[in-house]
Amino acid sequence: MLEGKLVSATLLLEIGNTAWKLARYHQYQTPEFLSKGYGIDDLFNEFEKLEFDELAMANVGPEEHFERIKLYAETANKVLFEARTSSGFGIQHCYSREASLGVDRWLTLLLAKSEQTAAIIIDAGTAITLDVIDEKGQHLGGWIAPGMHLMQEALVRKSTRLRVSDETPTELLGSSTENAIHLGCKASLNGFVEQALVAAQVRLTQAGEANTPKVWLTGGDVPYLGNPLLPDDNDTNSAFLERLKSIEQRPNLVLEGLAVWYQQVNKIKAG
Ligand SMILES: Nc1ncnc2c1ncn2[C@@H]1O[C@H](COP(=O)(O)OP(=O)(O)OP(=O)(O)O)[C@@H](O)[C@H]1O
Ligand SMILES: CC(C)(CO)[C@@H](O)C(=O)NCCC(=O)O
Ligand SMILES: [K+]
């Protein structure tokens, strides 16, 4: 009997609110990052360059993205898998409506569960999110706030005289509107992370977590964390910098979670 291809080539796709990311799936290994882009049309161009027969995706953007990809998959003869937040998979939800938890956040919980660790997860993308999960897989909750660009955009959109620029100020306090906004938003972002680490640890302790949690950091806004303009010998700053240094940066955390999901779904399918 002629066997079909035993191993199919699978792509992993994360669609965020701003960017999409593609990786190649390898069984029991960290996904191999391929590319990142903005806009769905670019994504279809990217598909043309890649060889694959399965696509596993997670989308936090509009449903329309999924519909277009589904149509593409049907036409191009690709097997499509879509991860959606659901019950099971060893996660106990704290949301009363579990489906309203973003699939990107849920996938990072799945990753923590698969690594059998308590985790404090910060994703600094379009939005900055915190998620906390204990070793047993109980989601203890999280936070959502606007990311760096969204904060700046909101100020510009809702005001008359505010402007932003892409340049990174070299002063500690802004002496122009652009600098004042950049520095203010960056301070908010850092404040989020600083407070998140404290609140997460408190909540884990309350929940009886005995083991040290992993702290994972991901997202396009990571370069804004820490403030090199504050003196190193300042106690508050140096404690925060030390904490940041001890944090594990995992740039493709959601894709890693998607790989775990895909692996588990295939195992279930195989019986
Ligand atoms: N070319 C671009 N077009 C639009 N926004 C951009 C671009 N480059 C960077 N950004 C900004 O960078 C910020 C972080 O998004 P990033 O591209 O790093 O993706 P991300 O961290 O994966 O976020 P998400 O998963 O929410 O899309 C966004 O708030 C966005 O405004
Ligand atoms: C919070 C974001 C935008 C982060 O990407 C996403 O996870 C999302 O749309 N979540 C839905 C709301 C929630 O998680 O409570
Ligand atoms: K994200």
Side-chain angles (χ1 to χ4, degrees), residues 229-266:
L229 298 174
L230 281 171
D232 280 345
D233 59 1
N234 173 283
D235 283 349
T236 313
N237 188 42
S238 65
F240 183 53
L241 287 180
E242 277 310 306
R243 197 73 213 273
L244 278 182
K245 264 189 260 163
S246 70
I247 290 177
E248 195 181 341
Q249 288 202 31
R250 286 174 74 161
N252 305 311
L253 203 64
V254 177
L255 288 169
E256 286 190 63
L258 185 56
V260 168
W261 175 84
Y262 173 78
Q263 202 155 293
Q264 293 190 11
V265 163
N266 271 289

Side-chain angles (χ1 to χ4, degrees), residues 103-172:
V103 66
D104 51 350
R105 302 175 59 195
W106 180 64
L107 290 172
T108 67
L109 300 180
L110 227 55
L111 184 66
K113 180 66 189 168
S114 81
E115 295 193 13
Q116 300 173 320
T117 181
I120 300 170
I121 304 159
I122 296 172
D123 186 341
T126 310
I128 183 167
T129 55
L130 162 71
D131 280 290
V132 186
I133 183 169
D134 71 13
E135 205 185 89
K136 297 190 291 289
Q138 170 70 53
H139 182 213
L140 300 176
W143 289 349
I144 305 171
M148 187 71 183
H149 291 85
L150 210 53
M151 280 192 260
Q152 289 174 288
E153 233 177 85
L155 281 172
V156 172
R157 205 177 305 152
K158 293 290 181 187
S159 67
T160 314
R161 289 163 209 281
L162 299 185
R163 284 182 300 273
V164 294
S165 111
D166 278 340
E167 271 160 55
T168 305
T170 51
E171 53 190 3
L172 196 51

